[in-house]
Structure formats: structure tokens, C-alpha cells
Amino acid sequence: MSEHLLDVRDLCISFVGRDGNALEAVNKLNLHIDAGEIVGVVGESGCGKSVFAQSVMRLLEHEQKMAYEGQIVFDGEDLLARPLKTMRKVRGCDIAMIFQDPLSSLNPVMTVGAQVVEAVRAHRKVGRREARNEALSLLERVGIRDAAARFDMYPSDFSGGMRQRVMIAMALAGHPRLLIADEPTTALDTTTQKQILDLLRDLNSSEGMAVLFISHDLGVVTSICSRVHVMYLGQIVEEIDACGLMERPSHPYAQGLIASIPPLEGERVDTLADIPGTVPPLTAIPCGCRFAPRCARADERCRAQEPPLFAVNACDRSKCWLVEKGECHGC
Amino acid sequence: MLKYTLKRIGAMVPVMLIISVVVFLIIYLTPGDPASSMLGMEASADQIERVNDSLGLNEPLPQRYVEWMGGVLTGDLGDSYFMRQPVTQAIAEHFGPTLSLALLAQLIALLIALPCGVVAALKHGSRTDAVLRVVALLGVAIPGFLMALMLMWLFAVTLRVFPVAGYAPLSKGWFSHLRYLALPAISLGCVQAALLMRMTRASVIEAMQLDCVKTARAKGVSEVRVVLAHALRNAALPILTSVGYSFGALITGAVVTEAIFNIPGLGQLVTSSIERRDYPVIQGVLLVVALLNSVINLAVDLAYGAFDPRARKWGDS
């Protein structure tokens, strides 16, 4: 029925506390990724983007009681319908993941080589020597020079960029069709950031690996992704192609985010634009449009009634009543 | 690493010197004297004086300390007042049983503590965890001698599987050596297991929160491997530290257990020597035990390096 590689339908994710109370972190999320596509999710910290990213592989359930609604369909199969124990067959094999902090994400007491070998052997029965050779070629593939000499080093001997390369090498071990990159460049400096982005782009085109790219950095996301989803407080408020995000965002939140980027050229501005107020906690989600209390253009209806995700044009969607009125400047 | 080891051994010298002074002084500050315990209640003051003279107990304290230390440095801990043998020989004879007992008890403690601690950590908050924690609390709370007596009553008196008391040296064969040591080792091991299990549980719970555990899961590694290769290895340092403490405690703290099971170990040697005010033996045993504890601490610190590459770097800097 669906030809998408990953098709997330009406996904709601809640943390279930000890007292049985649920705290909803992601609400009615719809998103799809086609094979070979790079799709982005941007949002402030706490908007639920990381929770979503980790939920695709159902990693959070090992640490915490979770409740899911909706579907995460990968290659025609709903991952949420699988028993958690069999998720192992999907992880690292069909879908791989890299994380924000490559230092803490690598095991500090295990050599880099052993960790890549572990990834190689997680899904295929290969001998030690063969696994080692494959790990070496993976490390070389992600641009680690002298991989043989560095094979028995520990993550603490590596620089931040190299560590992230090791993470990517481990992710490639199972030849995944989808890579989830959860803020992969956030902990890196700008030059390293660019190298990692180039590597991801290269792997995307050469291996045909689709990427779900999570970041809070609008610049990074628009530079690497073809389509971008903007999240606010657990909901996708805008879906737009990457070039469009900077030029014609429809949702006031997306507009606010873009206005708050300091300009690199032109006259120096003394005060940057910002979005008034702060993100409310998950325990106090406003009714109506979740962004309404911070939105300059909100009216009575915004505060009372939640807007649906309107189609702005053929591919862009925006969760704002202004679209219906035809008043947003993206239209 | 070698430099670090030498530095640590060097640091042990002043520690041992201070301990030697304390050991020496504490004993002479205790009331009672060897002469009256040697000669009995009816000894005359004159007889006591003569014995004290022959033992060199009438010399001033500093002089006696220097003489004793001089001997210690050449490996001579003096002669026992009562046993007609050098202290080093007495210690050597009694050390074997204590070491055997401590090693066996430590092994039992680890065999109980590691699996139980890991299971409790993985299921923390569950009923299994609650049961294991209560059992561990009981293990800590029950006095060692009570545990020993209960085990003795059940396995030796009622079921007659193990001997009630006594000791068979290794020279009489593994089987009877272990048969005699089984009950005392279990009773000591259970108490240590309770302490170690709580430490294991806490460290594994902490290690399971590490990002690298999440990475391992994301790689598709089996949950068993996630726990053993990633969480447990990261939890190893605090567990190792408590193993060091517990081994030190087993070497020194087996006095009561040794007495109950009539094992001719260091504990028995030191209690009988204290009763008789056999100063050279008491001093010797205390000094050896203190040295042993320092060595265990050093061994634990060096073992850190084997488990954690970052510890090797601290060592070198």
C-alpha cells in the first residue's frame, strides 16, 4: 500500500510514570521518508525530536515505560506491532542510528576496533579475522586514515570528529537502508561538522541510504536535507522543502526561528529578533494551537481550536489557521 | 604503568612506618603483662622482674621500638614468648588456612553477588529486585557468628554433609581441604556477598543509563551482550573496589569464624597471643595484616588499569 521506506502515521509517544500517569512527548506525528532521501526534523530542545528519533528503533522502551499510538511502518511492516525482543533484527540491520555525543556514545572501556567488529558480527556470523577486515574497511570508508594502527585505540584517544566517524562506521556495518542521525553534528566544531555532513551526503548518494536527520540547527538541516519538518512541543507544525524553509515559511513559529538567526552579511543588528515567552512544559500544554500563547498573530480561534496540518501547496504543509485564511506569507 | 607502581609502593613506606609505631604503642598501653600470664597468679614480684628482664621489657620504650624495627627490616619479627619459635614461622604456619578460607569465601561471595546484583539491577523496581534486596539486607544484618552456627547446625549436625569443625591442610588433598573449609567459607562469603551485591546492583543500574549502552542496543547487539560486555564492564571499577575491601575484611575479620570452626588461622593465633600478652606475635600479625591490606589496595588500583584504559592514563600522568 505505501511505497515509502519509512511511513510514520499519527504517532503519539508518551512516557508512563510510576504512578501510571502518561506524559505525551510526541503528538499525532506524520512523516515519511522515501528510499535514498534525506529528511530533516528541526526544533528546540524538548520539542520531542530526539524522543521521536529513538522511538523509531524503540530504544526508549528498554529504559522507561512508554505508550505508543499510531504506526511506524518500515518497508511495509509496522515496527510498533513487533515484540520488543525482535527489534534487534531491525536495529543496525535495516535501520541504524548515530547520536549526539560521540564520546559518551562509544564504550570508553572497549577498543574502537572491537566496537566496530561487534557491529559487524551483530547480524552476520562471520569469523574473527573476516570481521576485523570488514571493520577495517568500514573505518577506512568513513575516512579514518591508518585504521589498522588505530584499531586497538580507545575512544578517548580519538578526536570528536573521528569518534563520530567511528559511530558512522558502526552504523554502516549492517548496510542499513535508513540512518537516523540524532543531532550528529551538535557536539562538533564547525569544520568537523562540515566534514561529517559531507560524509553523510556521500554515503547517501553512494550507498543509497536514506537519512532521517534530527537537529536544532536550521542551517545544518537546510544544507543537507531535501525536506524539513519543524517541530514544536511534540507536533510537526510545518513541513516544507529545504530551500523553502528559509524563504517562505508558513508557520509563525518557523518564521520566528528563521528571523532569530543572526545575519552574516549586511548591517550589524544590535538586537536579534526572538520569539516571546518560553516553551511550556509537557505538563501544561496550551489548548488550541500549542504555539498560540507565544504567537503575535494568534486570535480567539487559535486559542480555542487546534488547527489541522493544512496543505499550503503541493508539498508544503503548515499547522496554522492563517493558511486557511490565505494570510500566511508563504502562500 | 611501572613508574606508577613504583610510586605507589614508595608511598606505602611512610604508611607502614606509622602503622608500626601505632602497633607497637597500642600493645604496651594495654593492661596486663606477659610475665604474670607466664608464671601464673602466685608469682612473686621478684620472679616477674626476672622474666621481664630476660624478655627485655625493662628497657625504655624507644629503645625497644628501635630494636624491634631493626629486626623487622631484616625480616626478623622476633621470637614468640610462649611458642618457642620465631614469629615469622608462627605467622607462616597460620597464614595458609586464613588465606585459603578468604579466597574460598571471596569466590563464593562473587558467585552469589554478581549474578544476583546484575539481575536485581536489570529488574530494579520489580518484585524480584525487592526479594533480592531483602535477602541482601538480611545477609548484612545477620551477625557472622549466627550464620556460622546456623550453617553448622543444619549441614554438619542435622544433615551431616560437612564436618562440624576443624581443618585439613591442602597436603591432605583438595577434597578434604574444601570439605572442612566449606561451611566457614559459606558463612563468611554470604555476609560479603550481601555487601557486594548491593554495590553491583547500584553500579549496574548506573551503567545501564550510559549512552554507550543505548548505542550497543542500536547496533542490534543481543541484550545479554549489552549487559555483560557494555554495562558490567563499565560498572567494574566500583565493584572491584569493594572486592578489595571485602578481601581485606576476610583476611582480618575471620577471627570469630575461625574460632567457631576451630581453624588454626591468623585469627586464632592473634586471639591466643592477646590472651597471653605474647607481644612479638601480636605485633607481627598486625604488621603483616596491615601490609597485606596496603598490597590489596595497590592491587585493586593496578587492576583498574586492566578494566579501564582511562585509568592507565591517570597512572602515567
Side-chain angles (χ1 to χ4, degrees), chain B:
Chain B
M1 204 64 190
L2 182 71
K3 203 175 135 199
Y4 175 67
T5 312
L6 291 175
K7 216 159 75 183
R8 284 293 312 268
I9 292 174
M12 274 164 60
V13 173
V15 173
M16 290 310 297
L17 269 178
I18 293 169
I19 289 174
S20 73
V21 174
V22 173
V23 161
F24 190 81
L25 286 179
I26 280 181
I27 288 162
Y28 288 103
L29 291 175
T30 51
D33 62 300
S36 33
S37 48
M38 243 186 257
L39 300 169
M41 297 296 274
E42 279 93 44
S44 67
D46 193 38
Q47 282 173 304
I48 289 178
E49 194 58 21
R50 251 182 294 144
V51 170
N52 277 344
D53 248 354
S54 69
L55 294 177
L57 290 174
N58 287 332
E59 317 287 336
L61 262 185
Q63 191 188 331
R64 269 159 40 200
Y65 174 74
V66 170
E67 277 168 14
W68 177 64
M69 263 319 273
V72 169
L73 291 177
T74 56
D76 176 14
L77 293 171
D79 293 323
S80 161
Y81 294 160
F82 293 88
M83 291 183 292
R84 301 178 197 290
Q85 66 181 46
V87 172
T88 41
Q89 195 189 332
I91 290 176
E93 278 168 15
H94 288 81
F95 188 65
T98 297
L99 187 66
S100 274
L101 181 58
L103 284 173
L104 194 60
Q106 187 70 73
L107 186 71
I108 290 170
L110 282 172
L111 287 179
I112 299 173
L114 288 182
C116 291
V118 170
V119 167
L122 296 183
K123 300 196 173 260
H124 73 110
S126 74
R127 205 164 291 170
T128 320
D129 178 33
V131 170
L132 285 170
R133 279 164 73 191
V134 169
V135 172
L137 197 64
L138 276 177
V140 180
I142 292 177
F145 73 88
L146 190 61
M147 179 83 90
L149 290 174
M150 289 192 309
L151 285 171
M152 198 189 263
W153 171 77
L154 183 65
F155 289 105
V157 179
T158 313
L159 298 174
R160 297 175 181 274
V161 210
F162 293 109
V164 175
Y167 175 75
L170 200 51
S171 54
K172 288 200 175 159
W174 275 102
F175 182 71
S176 78
H177 184 62
L178 290 180
R179 225 167 83 83
Y180 274 96
L181 280 181
L183 288 185
I186 292 171
S187 76
L188 281 172
C190 283
V191 177
Q192 296 300 326
L195 294 165
L196 273 179
M197 189 208 118
R198 290 154 68 92
M199 183 50 99
T200 306
R201 178 182 177 274
S203 338
V204 172
I205 287 178
E206 205 176 309
M208 288 300 284
Q209 321 275 331
L210 291 174
D211 287 349
C212 65
V213 167
K214 187 175 275 177
T215 309
R217 286 204 183 105
K219 283 199 278 189
V221 171
S222 70
E223 198 62 21
V224 174
R225 220 186 125 74
V226 166
V227 173
L228 296 182
H230 293 276
L232 200 56
R233 268 201 80 180
N234 273 289
L237 293 198
I239 298 174
L240 199 65
T241 312
S242 16
V243 169
Y245 281 129
S246 103
F247 194 67
L250 283 172
I251 292 273
T252 52
V255 178
V256 177
T257 312
E258 280 181 11
I260 293 174
F261 288 97
N262 197 21
I263 295 167
L266 281 184
Q268 212 179 58
L269 178 65
V270 88
T271 35
S272 57
S273 302
I274 289 172
E275 278 164 16
R276 299 188 291 221
R277 300 290 182 273
D278 197 343
Y279 295 152
V281 180
I282 306 171
Q283 287 166 350
V285 172
L286 290 185
L287 204 62
V288 166
V289 163
L291 183 69
L292 216 62
N293 267 304
S294 304
V295 171
I296 291 170
N297 274 332
L298 177 64
V300 166
D301 284 0
L302 294 180
Y304 277 2
F307 281 91
D308 193 334
R310 292 166 297 180
R312 273 169 245 166
K313 285 185 195 154
W314 310 330
D316 291 333
S317 58

